[in-house]
Amino acid sequence: MGVGLLWTPLVRRLSAISLFVIFNAAVYPFGRVDLIGHALIMAVIVAIAADHTREVYFLPKLKKALTGIPVGLTVALMLFVASYWGLHSGFYGSQGTAAAGVERVTHTPDVEHPHGGQNSQPE
């Protein structure tokens, strides 16, 4: 909603009204001290909601550049998923299990002390 305060006039007003409702809803559980602490922020939010300007002045080039963010996030997600499953199939094969006969451990197993302990260190 904070980014919405910088967006188009309609989104700016809706974000301001939503934030105002949230700030007011916080007064009941947190008390009047919360209202006093957020009074200045709420006054600015009321001024934003009451603004009658219908034009967009705040960084129009930035807003046009931000339209590419969903595409960038989609590409990043696809790369992450492809690399994750590529590495998974590289480590565990196409069946999803470790290769037969290969045991991968981070320590030397000790039959006498299978769960560790003071005496489980190799000598």
Side-chain angles (χ1 to χ4, degrees):
M1 283 183 258
V3 175
L5 293 173
L6 304 174
W7 214 249
T8 63
L10 178 62
V11 174
R12 182 172 48 238
R13 286 188 190 101
L14 292 174
S15 293
I17 291 168
S18 300
L19 284 170
F20 189 76
V21 168
I22 290 170
F23 277 123
N24 277 323
V27 172
Y28 179 72
F30 298 112
R32 288 180 282 177
V33 174
D34 190 61
L35 178 66
I36 294 167
H38 291 113
L40 184 59
I41 298 169
M42 291 168 63
V44 172
I45 287 174
V46 168
I48 291 170
D51 185 18
H52 66 283
T53 305
R54 295 200 179 270
E55 296 179 21
V56 178
Y57 294 111
F58 184 78
L59 300 173
K61 290 182 182 179
L62 175 66
K63 290 180 186 177
K64 289 180 183 176
L66 291 178
T67 57
I69 288 178
V71 174
L73 289 174
T74 303
V75 169
L77 181 65
M78 288 172 31
L79 284 173
F80 175 77
V81 169
S83 63
Y84 176 85
W85 286 109
L87 287 172
H88 186 274
S89 65
F91 290 144
Y92 298 107
S94 61
Q95 300 298 322
T97 58
V102 177
E103 185 177 357
R104 295 187 175 133
V105 295
T106 58
H107 62 281
T108 306
D110 187 1
V111 178
E112 294 180 17
H113 304 284
H115 298 293
Q118 293 178 348
N119 298 328
S120 65
Q121 299 297 325
E123 294 180 19

